Amino acid sequence: MAHIIVVGNEKGGAGKSTVSMHVATALARMGHRVGALDLDLRQRTMGRYCDNRRRFLDAEGLSLPGPVYMDLPEIQQDALAPGENAYDHRLSKAVSALEADSDFILIDCPGSHTRLSQVAHSLADTLITPLNDSFIDFDLLARIDNDGEKILGPSVYSEMVWSARQLRAQAGLKPIDWIVLRNRLGAQQMINKMKMEKALERLSKRIGFRIAPGFSERVIFRELFPRGLTLLDLKDIGVKQLNISNVAARQELRDLMLALDLPGVTVRF
């Protein structure tokens, strides 16, 4: 069976699609077969990222490793039994179609609470939650006091992950390996940044996730999207020498892949 990686939280702008594309492409470039799904049926950022990649490579006559992307198939309403949910069937059908030819299936979730996102989280072997370095984003995981010091209790997203964990346990599946990324980090060492780090460390012990390094805020990520490229593709399109920022970003990706500790993956870049 394919190992399912879900990238999700319930807030937009945390860099989910950037993380999704870089993880999927890194796995493909290391020789693994990777399928990809985008459950944000409206914005479809991951889907457009993959579309951009295909068009750019075709135009340049290049062939570079990457994920095999597919849209969710449509389901005829008359094919559903009473009480069955069409979204459940669409996701199940897509996963089944990719699973035969995939070592990993990466699922990019929308930045909102949807039925598709709920079901996807229950399928996750590995869950990656990118989080902006802000207590606004932290509030999705836990409620805190006015000083940002004391954790008052779990919040909406943590409760959804807990429900997914219960569903997996009832089905006799392995527990979700939940990784929270501190993403889009700024360069400055601010008091808020240190408070966030301490709060995440306390919360990780309380509700059971690992903390991994994400990406710093860099212009290069915005420049790569229109061509569907990742940091690992730059030399293959003729960039002879990476600048310091690009080298640092590539190292961040390597650190992330090492921290994920995915089964059967030896990080080689």
Side-chain angles (χ1 to χ4, degrees), residues 1-115:
M1 294 179 65
H3 185 94
I4 296 179
I5 304 168
V6 172
V7 181
N9 64 17
E10 291 185 22
K11 187 176 184 302
K16 289 190 299 297
S17 297
T18 296
V19 168
S20 295
M21 191 63 171
H22 276 77
V23 169
T25 304
L27 288 169
R29 293 187 68 101
M30 289 186 290
H32 301 280
R33 301 171 302 164
V34 185
L37 299 169
D38 188 345
L39 302 190
D40 191 335
L41 304 183
R42 180 173 172 81
Q43 292 189 21
R44 205 176 157 272
T45 306
M46 177 68 173
R48 287 190 291 112
Y49 208 144
C50 291
D51 292 345
N52 293 346
R53 184 180 185 84
R54 185 180 62 254
R55 283 197 304 270
F56 176 79
L57 296 181
D58 287 347
E60 296 295 318
L62 295 172
S63 178
L64 299 179
V68 175
Y69 175 81
M70 73 175 290
D71 288 316
L72 294 191
E74 295 294 337
I75 299 290
Q76 297 297 324
Q77 287 294 329
D78 57 12
L80 298 174
E84 287 187 321
N85 187 289
Y87 289 116
D88 294 3
H89 279 264
R90 292 177 71 184
L91 180 54
S92 176
K93 195 170 180 180
V95 169
S96 297
L98 288 172
E99 195 157 34
D101 297 312
S102 300
D103 302 312
F104 295 92
I105 298 173
L106 189 140
I107 303 176
D108 188 16
C109 291
S112 58
H113 183 76
T114 67
R115 171 75 181 193

Side-chain angles (χ1 to χ4, degrees), residues 2-262:
H3 185 94
I4 296 179
I5 304 168
V6 172
V7 181
N9 64 17
E10 291 185 22
K11 187 176 184 302
K16 289 190 299 297
S17 297
T18 296
V19 168
S20 295
M21 191 63 171
H22 276 77
V23 169
T25 304
L27 288 169
R29 293 187 68 101
M30 289 186 290
H32 301 280
R33 301 171 302 164
V34 185
L37 299 169
D38 188 345
L39 302 190
D40 191 335
L41 304 183
R42 180 173 172 81
Q43 292 189 21
R44 205 176 157 272
T45 306
M46 177 68 173
R48 287 190 291 112
Y49 208 144
C50 291
D51 292 345
N52 293 346
R53 184 180 185 84
R54 185 180 62 254
R55 283 197 304 270
F56 176 79
L57 296 181
D58 287 347
E60 296 295 318
L62 295 172
S63 178
L64 299 179
V68 175
Y69 175 81
M70 73 175 290
D71 288 316
L72 294 191
E74 295 294 337
I75 299 290
Q76 297 297 324
Q77 287 294 329
D78 57 12
L80 298 174
E84 287 187 321
N85 187 289
Y87 289 116
D88 294 3
H89 279 264
R90 292 177 71 184
L91 180 54
S92 176
K93 195 170 180 180
V95 169
S96 297
L98 288 172
E99 195 157 34
D101 297 312
S102 300
D103 302 312
F104 295 92
I105 298 173
L106 189 140
I107 303 176
D108 188 16
C109 291
S112 58
H113 183 76
T114 67
R115 171 75 181 193
L116 277 172
S117 187
Q118 278 184 289
V119 176
H121 279 68
S122 69
L123 299 177
D125 298 301
T126 297
L127 171 61
I128 304 172
T129 301
L131 203 69
N132 285 321
D133 212 41
S134 159
F135 278 109
I136 296 173
D137 280 31
F138 185 90
D139 190 61
L140 287 169
L141 298 179
R143 294 175 289 107
I144 52 174
D145 66 3
N146 297 124
D147 295 325
E149 299 287 346
K150 184 179 179 182
I151 296 168
L152 303 178
S155 194
V156 288
Y157 183 71
S158 296
E159 289 171 350
M160 195 257 276
V161 175
W162 175 252
S163 296
R165 282 173 158 167
Q166 287 181 310
L167 286 173
R168 286 181 66 85
Q170 289 166 10
L173 299 173
K174 290 182 180 178
I176 298 171
D177 183 16
W178 185 14
I179 300 106
V180 172
L181 305 186
R182 294 181 67 200
N183 211 32
R184 302 184 68 173
L185 290 166
Q188 294 179 326
Q189 288 288 341
M190 296 179 289
I191 293 175
N192 178 75
K193 196 173 180 179
M194 291 185 285
K195 278 190 173 183
M196 271 288 294
E197 184 175 358
K198 290 178 181 176
L200 275 175
E201 286 176 357
R202 289 195 297 271
L203 186 61
S204 68
K205 296 178 178 66
R206 183 163 170 177
I207 63 176
F209 58 77
R210 299 192 287 122
I211 303 170
F215 298 136
S216 299
E217 184 66 50
R218 300 182 192 276
V219 174
I220 184 64
F221 292 116
R222 293 191 286 273
E223 294 175 340
L224 291 170
F225 174 78
R227 293 176 291 172
L229 298 175
T230 70
L231 295 163
L232 301 181
D233 301 315
L234 294 177
K235 290 186 177 179
D236 290 321
I237 64 165
V239 178
K240 291 187 171 65
Q241 189 166 359
L242 301 181
N243 63 36
I244 293 173
S245 178
N246 293 354
V247 170
R250 187 183 168 100
Q251 183 60 45
E252 288 174 350
L253 176 57
R254 186 174 187 276
D255 291 342
L256 168 57
M257 297 304 297
L258 287 168
L260 292 180
D261 193 25
L262 295 167

